[in-house]
Amino acid sequence: MRQTRYFIPTLREDPADAVVPSHKLMLRAGLIRQLTSGVYSYLPLGLRIFKKIEEILRQEMNAIGGNEFLLPALSPNELWEQTGRVNDFGDILFKIKNRELVLAPTHEEVFASIAKPNLISYKDLPVMWYQIQTKFRNEARPRSGVLRGRQFTMKDAYSFDATWEGLDESYNLQDMAYRKAFKRCGLKFFSVSAYSGAMGGRESREFMIESDAGEDIVAVSEDEKYASNLEVAVSFVEKIGRKNTNIPYESFHTPGVKSIDELAEFLKIKDKSRLAKSRVYVKPAVGDDLYDEYILVLVCGDDEVNESKLTSYIGNIRPGHPDELLKITGADAGSIGPIGLKRNDIKIVADLRLENADELISGANINDYHIKNIDLMRDVINIKYADIRFVKDGEKTFDNTSHIRIAKAIEVGHIFKLGTKYSESLGAKFLDKDGKEQPIIMGSYGIGVERIAAAYIEQNYDEKGIIWEGEIAPFQLHLLSLNLHDNDIRKISEKIYNKLENKGYEILFDDRKDVRPGVKFNDADLIGIPLQIIIGDKFVKENKIELKIRRTGERIFIDENNFFKKIDEIIKNFI
């Protein structure tokens, strides 16, 4: 491709509204342009990279027996209402105001609707279906360029099985395909156990790259044997235990004390583990004849409630609103605890660290009062215990063999064992070997195409620009002709370009005549094609062609007569 015919609008300076490296460099290198918040136009160079990623994903899906579909981006509200995900997705779901349609953020419902009339016997299963399609999510604050946009491309795949063992096999096949795809894309990645969220299902894993630009927080062990999204991470932490003093509890006045830090300061203590932090949650009623349920949650004062774990334990919940707390507990936030609650139907759940603990201090459910010497075993009836806290940096792994560090990461893929959530909601059933009707068992598997490109850049850049290598590099070679007004330089440049292109190499030829060498060098380093072939003064003076390796900056000088002999070997070593 000749650069004079290829639209690459590079920028010298970082755009003011770009913060993370990949966003800055994708804009500066002419890969993308923002149309409006969270919506990007893909320019030729960027589209070329995205298409290469798509092809890798397509090949790996086909290799495990995937059938490629292309489903509509629009789908009827009815499908989403049947599975309950209109509410689960909330404002993230784009809804068409003048039609009963949504712009799909994912396609479980649509694929299940195709499976329903077609996969009717165990003999039709298993199958693996996938597509590479535009998705839409109404992100409230889209940021970080294509890492979090409102319109994006996803490879989403779906497995349909007759047995749970079959789902395990399909899931493992996808896991293997993902690992191969990410390696081919040049990512340094790891996988973590994850929270399924609005997708539902019994198990899921995320594929991550560690990056300061990431919005996910992960717990990773120092020995690299354990990794998990912080939403579901577990660790080994000693319970605070019992002192067995059997001191009666009593209330005391704590004027103006609203937080654990303020309480610790009021009591002149540093250890906050026996200050029981209280949070109130509401489990909304489902159906006309049911009532909301109320849950009081207790964690140690030096811990935080993990709402993802709590949701997995209890079900769909929301935090209690400030104007509800007085009605539910008898006090405002900061004075709430497990003793003397206004309502007697409040369920109490405490973190495992607090199991059967005594000599605790918590709110008295009267504003500006707390209670000390609370004994959960003695004073709190029907209390339940569960792991509902966030893991913290430096804690031991759950098997007590290594330490955990907390890091930021970018999610590039997510796989789910959905089970029967969607097939039961939509009536997608099959007849088993005994002629009995059973719900199809599903899995869902997603990868963000543009995210892979951005994640690669986050791992491969320097002060000059992007550093591409491997299969997703936009071109293998960048031919820089520094003075096309010179007849000899023009001739050898054309010769090299034509011969290498005929040999099947992907080559970008900077054939701009009136652009200074410095600008060409800067653009080449910014775009980041792996190998630069430079035709300039060295050729005029010594008949030598210069080859620069973008990642290391190493320069190799080759005689014109030997150039085509050596170039193949050099390219194989560095592409």
Side-chain angles (χ1 to χ4, degrees):
M1 178 64 67
R2 295 176 183 272
Q3 208 157 326
T4 51
R5 299 177 185 173
Y6 206 57
F7 182 63
I8 311 178
T10 57
L11 303 174
R12 299 273 71 82
E13 304 294 333
D14 290 339
D17 59 345
V19 178
V20 302
S22 59
H23 190 194
K24 294 176 183 177
L25 290 169
M26 292 178 94
L27 289 167
R28 286 190 55 208
L31 274 59
I32 60 173
R33 283 293 181 269
Q34 181 170 308
L35 180 63
T36 187
S37 181
V39 180
Y40 290 86
S41 299
Y42 302 153
L43 308 188
L45 194 64
L47 185 61
R48 187 179 179 94
I49 294 161
F50 302 151
K51 290 297 183 185
K52 287 190 170 194
I53 295 168
E54 288 180 15
E55 188 53 33
I56 290 171
L57 299 178
R58 182 173 287 110
Q59 289 172 9
E60 295 303 334
M61 288 298 102
N62 291 346
I64 60 171
N67 287 196
E68 185 171 8
F69 287 60
L70 184 60
L71 304 187
L74 288 168
S75 57
N77 287 359
E78 179 186 357
L79 279 179
W80 295 81
E81 288 166 353
Q82 286 181 57
T83 59
R85 291 212 294 176
V86 169
N87 296 325
D88 290 345
F89 272 100
D91 290 339
I92 290 178
L93 195 66
F94 273 111
K95 300 172 184 176
I96 309 301
K97 288 185 177 180
N98 61 342
R99 291 288 187 274
E100 292 295 310
L101 297 168
V102 303
L103 285 170
T106 181
H107 275 77
E108 282 78 10
E109 283 85 353
V110 182
F111 268 104
S113 73
I114 296 174
K116 179 178 178 179
N118 293 291
L119 305 179
I120 56 176
S121 166
Y122 72 94
K123 295 179 181 179
D124 300 322
L125 303 169
V127 296
M128 194 89 72
W129 296 345
Y130 77 96
Q131 66 169 343
I132 299 172
Q133 168 65 296
T134 303
K135 309 289 186 184
F136 302 88
R137 294 188 183 177
N138 187 25
E139 297 286 354
R141 293 176 299 279
R143 54 200 177 274
S144 303
V146 299
L147 286 175
R148 183 168 291 279
R150 289 181 168 138
Q151 178 177 322
F152 55 95
T153 311
M154 181 188 287
K155 185 288 302 172
D156 50 324
Y158 305 87
S159 59
F160 301 85
D161 284 278
T163 65
W164 292 100
E165 293 77 13
L167 172 61
D168 292 341
E169 185 176 342
S170 296
Y171 186 87
N172 291 336
L173 283 172
Q174 287 286 339
D175 182 273
M176 176 187 70
Y178 272 45
R179 294 174 189 276
K180 288 182 177 180
F182 293 137
K183 285 178 183 177
R184 289 179 63 184
C185 290
L187 296 184
K188 299 172 186 174
F189 68 94
F190 58 94
S191 70
V192 302
S193 55
Y195 174 57
S196 298
M199 297 291 289
R202 62 174 187 161
E203 184 180 345
S204 72
R205 293 194 70 78
E206 290 171 322
F207 292 83
M208 300 281 198
I209 71 145
E210 191 170 333
S211 170
D212 287 337
E215 294 183 341
D216 285 279
I217 308 296
V218 294
V220 184
S221 65
E222 290 177 348
D223 62 8
E224 299 184 351
K225 292 180 180 179
Y226 176 75
S228 176
N229 193 298
L230 194 63
E231 291 177 318
V232 295
V234 295
S235 63
F236 175 82
V237 183
E238 297 280 359
K239 296 175 182 178
I240 66 169
R242 294 183 60 80
K243 296 187 177 183
N244 288 313
T245 50
N246 202 29
I247 304 171
Y249 69 77
E250 60 178 300
S251 65
F252 62 102
H253 193 211
T254 51
V257 172
K258 299 297 182 186
S259 70
I260 291 294
D261 289 342
E262 290 170 349
L263 182 59
E265 186 177 349
F266 181 85
L267 297 170
K268 308 298 183 196
I269 62 173
K270 292 183 178 179
D271 182 4
K272 302 172 186 175
S273 62
R274 289 186 185 270
L275 306 181
K277 185 182 295 181
S278 302
R279 296 285 185 267
V280 175
Y281 290 88
V282 179
K283 185 177 183 181
V286 179
D288 297 333
D289 299 326
L290 299 177
Y291 298 93
D292 290 345
E293 293 182 30
Y294 303 107
I295 302 99
L296 177 71
V297 173
L298 299 173
V299 296
C300 292
D302 53 1
D303 284 332
E304 297 296 334
V305 177
N306 184 325
E307 292 186 2
S308 298
K309 289 183 180 179
L310 190 61
T311 299
S312 295
Y313 181 69
I314 294 175
N316 186 36
I317 56 169
R318 64 167 175 80
H321 300 314
D323 58 355
E324 295 177 304
L325 297 182
L326 193 64
K327 179 180 68 174
I328 296 170
T329 69
D332 295 314
S335 299
I336 295 171
I339 294 175
L341 290 158
K342 188 172 184 178
R343 297 182 64 108
N344 59 15
D345 60 347
I346 298 176
K347 296 180 179 179
I348 300 177
V349 179
D351 183 68
L352 291 173
R353 279 190 74 196
L354 288 170
E355 189 168 7
N356 296 328
D358 59 1
E359 286 202 29
L360 301 179
I361 300 174
S362 194
N365 296 306
I366 301 172
N367 284 343
D368 292 329
Y369 280 85
H370 281 74
I371 293 178
K372 61 184 177 180
N373 301 321
I374 298 171
D375 185 333
L376 294 182
M377 185 185 294
R378 179 192 66 195
D379 303 323
V380 184
I381 301 171
N382 296 326
I383 188 171
K384 303 292 184 183
Y385 296 97
D387 175 19
I388 53 171
R389 65 183 284 275
F390 277 110
V391 166
K392 291 185 287 191
D393 193 77
E395 292 179 349
K396 287 289 194 75
T397 52
F398 65 94
D399 59 1
N400 203 17
T401 61
S402 184
H403 284 89
I404 285 172
R405 63 184 178 86
I406 306 299
K408 288 184 176 182
I410 297 169
E411 177 196 328
V412 289
H414 203 159
I415 59 178
F416 303 83
K417 290 183 179 179
L418 296 177
T420 59
K421 172 180 177 176
Y422 298 92
S423 53
E424 286 180 341
S425 298
L426 298 168
K429 298 179 180 181
F430 71 98
L431 295 178
D432 65 16
K433 291 181 180 179
D434 299 321
K436 294 181 179 178
E437 202 172 57
Q438 305 287 351
I440 297 173
I441 301 170
M442 291 178 60
S444 175
Y445 317 93
I447 287 180
V449 172
E450 299 90 346
R451 272 196 170 207
I452 289 178
Y456 177 92
I457 293 170
E458 291 291 337
Q459 292 185 326
N460 297 275
Y461 72 93
D462 59 18
E463 70 282 357
K464 296 178 181 179
I466 306 168
I467 303 171
W468 293 108
E469 283 183 350
E471 291 188 57
I472 69 170
F475 294 90
Q476 297 168 311
L477 301 162
H478 200 167
L479 174 60
L480 309 181
S481 187
L482 302 186
N483 183 6
L484 284 164
H485 295 289
D486 182 290
N487 191 50
D488 291 336
I489 288 178
R490 186 176 68 255
K491 283 183 179 179
I492 189 63
S493 298
E494 292 287 347
K495 179 181 177 182
I496 289 172
Y497 173 64
N498 290 323
K499 191 158 185 177
L500 290 178
E501 190 175 50
N502 289 336
K503 286 168 71 73
Y505 290 117
E506 297 176 328
I507 182 168
L508 180 65
F509 178 16
D510 191 342
D511 60 340
R512 296 175 292 175
K513 283 188 176 180
D514 298 317
V515 174
R516 297 191 310 275
V519 173
K520 291 192 175 189
F521 287 139
N522 288 338
D523 280 351
D525 285 343
L526 175 60
I527 293 167
I529 293 167
L531 291 173
Q532 299 171 13
I533 300 170
I534 302 167
I535 313 295
D537 289 343
K538 275 283 184 182
F539 180 77
V540 174
K541 295 175 182 177
E542 303 176 26
N543 252 27
K544 290 184 183 284
I545 296 168
E546 183 179 345
L547 193 66
K548 176 186 169 184
I549 300 166
R550 171 64 184 91
R551 181 172 292 280
T552 64
E554 179 186 353
R555 295 171 185 270
I556 302 168
F557 295 94
I558 306 170
D559 289 334
E560 179 190 356
N561 294 333
N562 297 324
F563 179 78
F564 291 107
K565 275 185 185 178
K566 292 190 175 181
I567 192 67
D568 289 334
E569 180 183 339
I570 292 170
I571 290 173
K572 286 176 184 177
N573 289 335
F574 290 101
I575 298 298

